[in-house]
Each structure stands twice: as C-alpha cells, then as structure tokens.
Amino acid sequence: MEKLPSLVIVVVIFTALLSGCMSNEEESDELDVVTSEMSEGVTYDSVTLKCSYHYPGYYNDYLILTWRFEPTDGGEQSVIMSKTNQEDPIYYGRQSGRLEHVGSRADLRIDRLELLDDGIYTCEVDFYLAKSYGTGDTRLHVYHFVDFVDILQYNEGDYVWAPAGSPVSFDCKATRAKPAAELNWYKSGALITTEEGTYTENSDGTFNTESTLDMVTTLSDHNALIKCESKQDNRLLLGQRKYDSVVLNTSGAGFKTGSVLLTLLAVFICSLI
C-alpha cells in the first residue's frame, strides 16, 4: 500500500504527456506559403500568379491546393481552383476556361485577362495529414490599353482649312483607358502642349480623357501635321501609343480630303459626257 502514491503520480504524469501529444497532433503547424505581394497584367494578355511552399517531410502527397478570388468591386470571395492530392485540378466560375495550374507547386496562370479579373487572389496549401497549413495573398492589377483616340469632327488625315492669322480649335478624346490616358498635342512632330485634360470614369473602371487645342495659325503652318497622342503612365504600357491627326491648310482654299475626292470624281464624270 505504500507504493500506491508513487503509482498514482506515474499515471498522472503519463496521462498528461499523452494528452499533450494528442493536443499537438490536432493543431496544424503553420506552413510558409510564398506569394508575390502584387502582380500586374494587361487585358487580353496572360499572367502567372506565383505560389510556392516547402514540403513538411512526411505525408507529402496528401495535400489540398486551393485558389480563392475576391474582386475589387466589393464582391464576395469565391473558390476558383481546387486540387486534391495527385488528382487533376478543378476550376470554377467565370474564369474557369482561362485558368491553368502550372509548375510543380501551386502557380496559377490566367489567360486572356479581363478587367473583372482585378482583385485579391489567395493561395491556400493544406497538408491535411501532416497538419501543416498556410496561405498567401497576391493583389492583381489589370490594366487596359486605350481603345480609341479621336480628333472629333474630323477623319484621320483630313485637311483643315485655317487661314494664316485665324484661331482654330481641335477637340480630342481618348476612350476606355486604365490607367487614364494623358493626351499630348504635336505639330509636325514637335510637342506643343501637355495641358491636363478632363477625365471621366466609366462603369468598368476605365477612363475617358478629353483635351482641347487652341492655336492661331501662321503661313509656316501650311501642311503641318496636328497630332493628338495618348500616353498611359504604367510600365506595361510605356511605349504603346494611339493617335489621330489632321493636316493644316493655311494658304489655299478651304477643303477636306473628302471634298478633293468628290471634285476629282466630278471632273472625271464631266470628261465622259
């Protein structure tokens, strides 16, 4: 009977150790999931979202990979890809036909980018038997190259009658750009104004820009090319430009390209009569 207290102590210690082991098995170890904080892409192009991790060292084949997407327009987060163990991935939602799991870890490629793809992407890695779990987020910014640049009321290459010494005004509009397009005016290749335009946001997050050029012509402006050109302040769009242009006529009678063609046509018809 004197040995009973010692036995009780041993049983208590063993029970405590066993409980501790069971508790540790139920808790998941934090897995270091590495993603890019930010990624960028342009509509119609492709982008690959990076997601890497280290294997826990045991039960490496038993894992669930999940990608979730939360749009910037305030919509709810949703699952867009899931992959269990060595099975083929399953894709979900609006983007399903444009998604592909690539590489040996959890990288996700998005093809034919759309403006609606802009948002936060979460890569989730769960080694469920090894009790090792982690996530990583990437903020994807999707940009859009301006659709059109148009000098209003004129066609590309029109001749504009503007006698020397008279004021002339041109209005230019850039349609659907993200980020907003800056409009610059050139005369025969020389920058003549960088005045800030007026910006209007569209429902899809793109912007329209309008700019006006006011000038007084001189005789030396005859046959000068007036060009309105877009510029977007983003590294993926630098060097990409759209423009519209007209030609000044300061010394002859007023006409446009269309008028010249009609005149030549009339002369041709008269010669046949």
Side-chain angles (χ1 to χ4, degrees):
M1 298 298 293
E2 295 179 356
K3 295 183 178 181
L4 184 59
S6 299
L7 180 61
V8 171
I9 294 174
V10 171
V11 171
V12 170
I13 293 175
F14 177 80
T15 303
L17 290 173
L18 181 62
S19 299
C21 291
M22 294 178 63
S23 176
N24 288 336
E25 288 181 357
E26 293 175 356
E27 295 178 359
S28 293
D29 294 330
E30 184 176 354
L31 180 68
D32 186 19
V33 175
V34 180
T35 56
S36 300
E37 183 177 345
M38 184 186 72
S39 187
E40 298 176 305
V42 178
T43 51
Y44 312 118
D45 288 347
S46 299
V47 67
T48 298
L49 305 180
K50 300 294 185 179
C51 179
S52 61
Y53 52 87
H54 292 292
Y55 289 106
Y58 49 95
Y59 297 130
N60 291 341
D61 293 333
Y62 299 93
L63 78 161
I64 298 174
L65 301 178
T66 306
W67 275 97
R68 303 177 188 274
F69 170 59
E70 182 179 346
T72 53
D73 62 6
E76 294 184 357
Q77 187 185 69
S78 59
V79 174
I80 59 174
M81 190 210 86
S82 65
K83 184 179 186 303
T84 302
N85 301 335
Q86 304 305 312
E87 298 176 4
D88 291 335
I90 302 174
Y91 306 104
Y92 307 91
R94 174 184 57 81
Q95 301 163 295
S96 59
R98 300 183 289 112
L99 302 177
E100 183 178 358
H101 172 246
V102 295
S104 60
R105 292 298 191 268
D107 294 354
L108 181 70
R109 189 177 73 215
I110 308 174
D111 294 323
R112 303 186 304 280
L113 280 171
E114 301 175 2
L115 287 168
L116 291 175
D117 295 335
D118 194 287
I120 299 175
Y121 291 77
T122 300
C123 177
E124 179 179 287
V125 183
D126 183 10
F127 288 93
Y128 54 93
L129 288 186
K131 302 296 183 182
S132 186
Y133 172 87
T135 64
D137 291 341
T138 297
R139 173 68 170 91
L140 175 62
H141 296 272
V142 180
Y143 306 112
H144 183 70
F145 183 43
V146 61
D147 279 354
F148 305 104
V149 173
D150 182 34
I151 297 179
L152 304 179
Q153 300 181 340
Y154 297 100
N155 296 320
E156 171 72 21
D158 272 355
Y159 278 82
V160 179
W161 168 235
S166 64
V168 62
S169 179
F170 298 102
D171 295 315
C172 184
K173 182 177 181 179
T175 306
R176 293 190 70 241
K178 183 182 178 183
E182 173 187 312
L183 291 176
N184 296 319
W185 290 92
Y186 296 83
K187 183 173 71 173
S188 297
L191 182 65
I192 55 177
T193 179
T194 56
E195 295 180 7
E196 187 170 342
T198 301
Y199 303 98
T200 305
E201 185 172 5
N202 300 309
S203 60
D204 61 359
T206 61
F207 294 84
N208 297 337
T209 307
E210 296 185 24
S211 178
T212 299
L213 171 67
D214 295 312
M215 62 181 297
V216 177
T217 61
T218 64
L219 283 176
S220 62
D221 291 331
H222 186 61
N223 285 331
L225 183 73
I226 301 298
K227 181 171 70 173
C228 175
E229 184 178 82
S230 69
K231 176 184 177 183
Q232 290 174 262
D233 186 17
N234 178 266
R235 66 178 185 84
L236 299 180
L237 297 173
L238 291 178
Q240 298 191 51
R241 302 282 192 274
K242 281 189 178 179
Y243 67 88
D244 194 13
S245 62
V246 295
V247 180
L248 291 177
N249 172 25
T250 63
S251 61
F255 62 87
K256 289 187 178 182
T257 303
S259 301
V260 174
L261 294 176
L262 289 175
T263 302
L264 292 175
L265 180 60
V267 172
F268 175 73
I269 293 174
C270 291
S271 67
L272 297 178
I273 298 177

